[in-house]
Amino acid sequence: MAIDYAARLALVQAAINGLLTGGMQSYEIEGQKVTNLDLGWLSKEEARLEAKLRRQQGRGGFRAAVPR
């Protein structure tokens, strides 16, 4: 079963939004309840999922080296 990174990213972003706008301290993601949301962890997970999506879409995550 392939992971739907776009759907998971949407859930993580919803959790971030809930935490920032309403002070939400728990959220349910794919049947698993998460309590005491950690903004730092959610931000890292958001970046990880965005990178996965870029790779899936063929945009990669690497930048060209710039000679000095």
Side-chain angles (χ1 to χ4, degrees), residues 1 6 12 35-36 62 64 68:
M1 179 177 172
V12 168
T35 57
N36 296 323
F62 298 100
R68 294 181 185 240

Side-chain angles (χ1 to χ4, degrees), residues 30-56:
E30 297 178 356
Q32 191 172 34
K33 188 163 180 141
V34 178
T35 57
N36 296 323
L37 293 177
D38 179 350
L39 184 57
W41 181 87
L42 286 169
S43 296
K44 288 177 186 176
E45 182 67 1
E46 180 183 36
R48 186 185 77 81
L49 292 168
E50 287 172 339
K52 292 266 190 190
L53 280 171
R54 279 194 303 274
R55 283 193 293 275
Q56 268 187 347

Side-chain angles (χ1 to χ4, degrees), residues 17-30:
N17 188 52
L19 183 60
L20 293 176
T21 60
M24 181 187 330
Q25 291 298 310
S26 66
Y27 203 82
E28 190 167 326
I29 298 175
E30 297 178 356

